Amino acid sequence: MDTPSYFPVPPGVGMEENFLSLDDILLSQERLPVRTECVFPRLGFLEKSSDSQDIPEGTKMELPLWLCKGLYEKKRKVLSVELPKIYKEGWRTVFTADPNVVDLHKMGPYYYGLGSQMLHFDNPENPDIANALLQTFIGRFRRTMDSSQNAYNEDTSVLVGRLDCLEKVLFRSGQNSLNGFQGWEKGQAAQLTASSLVLNYRKRKLVDVQS
Amino acid sequence: MDPSEVEFLAEKEFVKIIPNFSLDKIYLIGGDLGPFNPGLSADVPVWLALNLKQRQKCRILPPEWMDVEKLEEMRELERKEDAFTPAPSPYYMELTKLLLNHASDNIPKADEIRTLVKDIWDTRVAKLRLSADSFIRQQEAHAQLDNLTLMEINTIREFLLDSLNCMYKLRSNLQPGATKGQFGDY
């Protein structure tokens, strides 16, 4: 049994984020195309393409997710967020046609996470986006399950390279159970080995000190 | 759950041995065992059988299901059926490993038995994955699988539960009303 030295906080899938989750923190760095609805005085330095002192109304720029979520208001006085192209109609039909073909890592490593966060910004296409996320997940489930349960002691970088971060977490847990079972079958479970927690301390062993 | 824990539970199963020593009945918390007389078969739990075997105090008799013809029949039946057929024993995988590792001299055709059990295991695990996939694909709320052994459940447990969690949360996106309240909590 390999107990980890800490339990990582899992990402909050769905519309809520886990504050302490590293995956969610990295997710909120993703940039979204926005259109400003009012003037941002003296913030011209954020917009590199124009040289003005402040950002005029109606500028199209990219802001990270955490900023968009904070600035977004129902009455839409400040920002209006556009959908990134992978959540638009065109790509959605690609995903529903064959989810397994798509390289989700290239599409933004946080496809599911970002898609769920996009639902915060009231968009008429929200139900379609949510549906597309769900169908993509269901379609790719088989491939993830098979590859995680069958790749023992191999280089998995080819298999994992096309997976979204959420699917990578699932892949890892599948690999864990596979490795545990194979290790047990080989008899490794009955051997005493130093725990990884202790190895990490890298203490000098008595044998080394004496000699 | 760890495979070692499943193996631990499997060691409670009973198996027949032929001891070469004599001992009166012993009274353990789990039940009474014995008395042991040399040459007469006795029913003991697997943990005791393995211990005695390692001390060369007994001979282990293979369980009834551990027979080449029977396992071949079960393998063919498993391959024909779509649902799960009753397993040879609720702990067939663990018992095979334990008995064939420690007592292979007492079990005839040990290698063939190992191959047959592995075939049965592979077929059952493939069926399990198929049914897990159709479960998720149709987004069912309940599923019932009969005749699964603990070891098979254990290999898929972590993965399936995590995926079902993810699917549940993605499904809750479709009804945004309940979660909207906590927005603007910075």
Side-chain angles (χ1 to χ4, degrees), chain A residues 99-164:
Chain A
N100 278 316
V101 165
V102 187
D103 184 349
L104 273 193
H105 190 77
K106 212 170 49 140
M107 298 288 138
Y110 294 102
Y111 176 70
Y112 298 108
L114 189 58
S116 308
Q117 295 305 315
M118 292 302 304
L119 301 173
H120 277 302
F121 309 116
D122 302 305
N123 202 297
E125 296 178 39
N126 269 358
D128 295 323
I129 301 175
N131 224 359
L133 288 179
L134 187 60
Q135 296 304 323
T136 319
F137 181 78
I138 290 176
R140 290 169 71 95
F141 172 75
R142 181 72 201 260
R143 179 74 69 91
T144 320
M145 172 167 71
D146 285 343
S147 56
S148 75
Q149 296 272 324
N150 283 327
Y152 179 61
N153 241 357
E154 293 167 4
D155 183 17
T156 54
S157 51
V158 177
L159 300 163
V160 177
R162 300 172 70 92
L163 297 180
D164 173 86

Side-chain angles (χ1 to χ4, degrees), chain B residues 45-155:
Chain B
V46 169
W47 54 268
L48 185 60
L50 292 180
N51 188 284
L52 292 175
K53 173 78 186 168
Q54 282 171 339
R55 293 191 284 165
Q56 295 172 336
K57 284 184 183 285
C58 78
R59 190 161 69 91
I60 298 189
L61 297 174
E64 287 169 358
W65 53 268
M66 204 177 264
D67 172 56
V68 176
E69 282 93 30
K70 288 214 179 108
L71 288 176
E72 271 176 359
E73 271 176 39
M74 284 192 192
R75 180 180 65 169
E76 294 314 314
L77 189 62
E78 193 73 50
R79 283 183 180 163
K80 273 194 313 200
E81 295 278 323
D82 280 339
F84 288 93
T85 60
S89 146
Y91 292 102
Y92 69 98
M93 197 67 190
E94 300 85 311
L95 288 182
T96 314
K97 178 191 168 236
L98 287 169
L99 293 180
L100 290 180
N101 279 350
H102 296 279
S104 55
D105 48 340
N106 293 148
I107 299 179
K109 299 199 197 160
D111 289 332
E112 283 182 35
I113 290 186
R114 215 189 280 261
T115 330
L116 285 170
V117 168
K118 185 99 180 63
D119 286 341
I120 296 179
W121 166 267
D122 287 335
T123 318
R124 290 172 71 94
V125 165
K127 278 194 210 170
L128 181 60
R129 296 213 196 122
L130 198 65
S131 69
D133 182 47
S134 64
F135 179 43
I136 292 235
R137 202 171 283 274
Q138 289 158 21
Q139 297 177 48
E140 300 279 348
H142 295 102
Q144 178 173 337
L145 291 176
D146 296 327
N147 297 325
L148 273 184
T149 62
L150 187 56
M151 198 57 161
E152 291 151 3
I153 298 175
N154 197 46
T155 52

Side-chain angles (χ1 to χ4, degrees), chain A residues 75-86:
Chain A
K75 300 173 203 117
R76 294 209 208 124
K77 253 182 48 181
V78 186
L79 286 181
S80 69
V81 181
E82 289 168 10
L83 290 177
K85 62 179 188 336
I86 48 173

Side-chain angles (χ1 to χ4, degrees), chain A residues 37-56:
Chain A
E37 300 284 346
C38 72
V39 186
F40 291 178
R42 292 204 294 280
L43 286 178
F45 62 92
L46 285 178
E47 172 75 357
K48 292 290 178 352
S49 55
S50 64
D51 288 327
S52 51
Q53 178 81 314
D54 31 275
I55 305 178

Side-chain angles (χ1 to χ4, degrees), chain A residues 1-8 193-200, chain B residues 2 5:
Chain A
M1 264 192 292
D2 213 12
T3 43
S5 45
Y6 72 101
F7 284 105
T193 49
S195 155
S196 60
L197 290 173
V198 173
L199 285 176
N200 283 343
Chain B
D2 222 43
E5 291 170 12

Side-chain angles (χ1 to χ4, degrees), chain A residues 1 13 69 122 177 184, chain B residues 2 7 155 159 169 180 186:
Chain A
M1 264 192 292
V13 188
K69 268 176 90 163
D122 302 305
S177 40
W184 168 78
Chain B
D2 222 43
E7 185 185 57
T155 52
F159 182 80
K169 291 202 186 131
K180 262 287 185 132
Y186 295 97

